[in-house]
Amino acid sequence: MTVVEFFGCSFLAFGPPLAMFSLTIAHDPIRIIILIAASFFWLVSLLFSSTVWFTVYPLRDKIAFGLVCSVFIQEAFRYLMYKLLRKTERGLQEVTDIIHISDYKHILSYVCGLGFGIISGAFSLVNILADSVGPATVGLKAGSNIFIVISAAQSLCMILLHTFWSVIFFNACDLKNYYHIGYVVLSHLFVSCITLLNGQELFAVSLTASYIVMLATCVIAFRVVGGNLASFKKFVTCK
């Protein structure tokens, strides 16, 4: 069952993001470059978070401290990515498909968010997936036997959340909508902190709360890009 679990959890966590990448990004080399750049920015934020965690020695054994610092540093690098793209988007439009500038801004934020999310999900799950192939089986002597599945579901949630957060965050920075900026930061902090409950095996609580926030964030992102009930009905009915 270990190999089956490995592939099942891999497809659960990365199947939808892979489909999003294949359908909306893979055909455009500029979008691929931006996605890679966003992934690099997240990696640099992880480096900074690790540096802060290592420097503050008295709090090094406090997971909550490192987690909170990581959230704020990630959001700071999301803002840096926003500033970089806004300075280069005119040039990017000249070498990519000609589309309306407001639509292009939302596409850029979507691509950046997916880049943030994919690399974040990969780092949070890759070691767990590597252990899942054996030789031992999780849950026989210690820990829950659904830990790997829960981790995969949580990683998928975070990947989608990063995508939605970037759409909301970039638009909020353009419009100086500080309520939406605050929502992104606080919801990121909440979802990250709620995962601390997994240490007590309260998986149902943390996962349910995370997906509720994800659905709410999805609705906000949908409204931000101009979506409404009528357009949603057209999407569902493929019109």
Side-chain angles (χ1 to χ4, degrees):
M1 287 297 291
T2 53
V3 176
V4 174
E5 189 171 32
F6 169 82
F7 282 106
C9 291
S10 298
F11 293 148
L12 171 61
F14 299 111
L18 179 61
M20 294 163 66
F21 172 81
S22 301
L23 295 174
T24 62
I25 296 176
H27 68 279
D28 190 335
I30 299 300
R31 297 182 189 181
I32 295 175
I33 293 171
I34 294 173
L35 183 138
I36 294 173
S39 301
F40 174 76
F41 267 63
W42 188 90
L43 288 174
V44 177
S45 75
L46 180 64
L47 176 62
F48 271 75
S49 302
S50 302
T51 303
V52 172
W53 169 81
F54 185 79
T55 303
V56 186
Y57 182 79
L59 298 176
R60 193 180 297 178
D61 60 339
K62 305 295 183 182
I63 297 178
F65 168 75
L67 185 147
V68 171
C69 287
S70 178
V71 168
F72 284 112
I73 292 173
Q74 285 180 53
E75 294 305 327
F77 273 84
R78 197 191 306 274
Y79 179 73
L80 290 177
M81 191 68 194
Y82 159 80
K83 295 295 290 184
L84 175 64
L85 286 178
R86 288 299 179 260
K87 289 183 178 296
T88 60
E89 65 183 0
R90 289 290 182 182
L92 290 172
Q93 277 196 297
E94 294 178 1
V95 294
T96 189
D97 298 333
I98 300 175
I99 52 180
H100 196 273
I101 188 169
S102 62
D103 296 332
Y104 194 69
K105 287 182 178 180
H106 294 316
I107 290 173
L108 290 180
S109 60
Y110 160 79
V111 174
C112 288
L114 190 59
F116 259 66
I118 289 175
I119 197 67
S120 172
F123 262 77
S124 66
L125 194 62
V126 65
N127 288 333
I128 298 173
L129 289 176
D131 289 339
S132 70
V133 295
T137 301
V138 175
L140 290 180
K141 293 295 184 180
S144 172
N145 57 1
I146 62 170
F147 172 73
I148 299 177
V149 176
I150 294 297
S151 298
Q154 186 68 48
S155 295
L156 173 61
C157 182
M158 290 301 297
I159 293 172
L160 297 177
L161 275 170
H162 271 296
T163 306
F164 302 145
W165 280 331
S166 287
V167 172
I168 298 170
F169 188 89
F170 283 32
N171 182 77
C173 290
D174 286 336
L175 303 179
K176 293 182 171 54
N177 187 334
Y178 299 111
Y179 292 107
H180 277 178
I181 293 175
Y183 171 80
V184 170
V185 176
L186 292 178
S187 60
H188 189 178
L189 188 63
F190 171 77
V191 172
S192 298
C193 289
I194 202 70
T195 59
L196 295 174
L197 295 177
N198 291 341
Q200 305 172 35
E201 297 191 5
L202 297 175
F203 302 125
V205 176
S206 63
L207 202 61
T208 300
S210 297
Y211 272 85
I212 289 174
V213 174
M214 188 268 286
L215 291 174
T217 307
C218 177
V219 172
I220 296 173
F222 182 69
R223 295 296 300 272
V224 159
V225 300
N228 50 44
L229 185 59
S231 62
F232 179 75
K233 289 180 178 178
K234 290 181 180 180
F235 165 74
V236 172
T237 57
C238 299
K239 292 183 179 180

